[in-house]
Amino acid sequence: MVRTLRAVRFLFMAPALVLFLFVINLMTSPGHWWVQWAALGIGIAWVFSLLRVIRAVVVAGGLAAVSAYLLSRSRNH
């Protein structure tokens, strides 16, 4: 659960971090774009975090669907 919450937080923090690094790159060395490599690494980590969050949502939705089905089935009998 904690890892999923950290993944959700990272989904919002990573773009801000890339923007921050872009501004630093723009101010310090505008002719040399080193920020692209940091953005690539952060982007790969962002995709893995997104997959972790999607998996958690699918599992939670599946559990909710199964419990709703079992609840409706128990009420009918």
Side-chain angles (χ1 to χ4, degrees):
M1 180 73 176
V2 173
R3 292 175 71 179
T4 304
L5 292 176
R6 285 183 184 164
V8 170
R9 185 178 66 178
F10 184 72
L11 289 179
F12 292 100
M13 292 299 294
L17 178 61
V18 170
L19 180 63
F20 178 70
L21 291 174
F22 175 76
V23 170
I24 289 175
N25 189 174
L26 192 62
M27 292 186 328
T28 59
S29 55
H32 179 68
W33 294 105
W34 53 262
V35 72
Q36 66 187 348
W37 301 112
L40 176 66
I42 292 170
I44 291 169
W46 191 88
V47 168
F48 283 119
S49 292
L50 179 64
L51 292 175
R52 178 180 299 277
V53 170
I54 289 173
R55 183 180 65 186
V57 167
V58 167
V59 168
L63 289 174
V66 167
S67 64
Y69 171 75
L70 292 175
L71 184 63
S72 69
R73 186 170 176 178
S74 69
R75 287 184 180 172
N76 290 338
H77 286 96

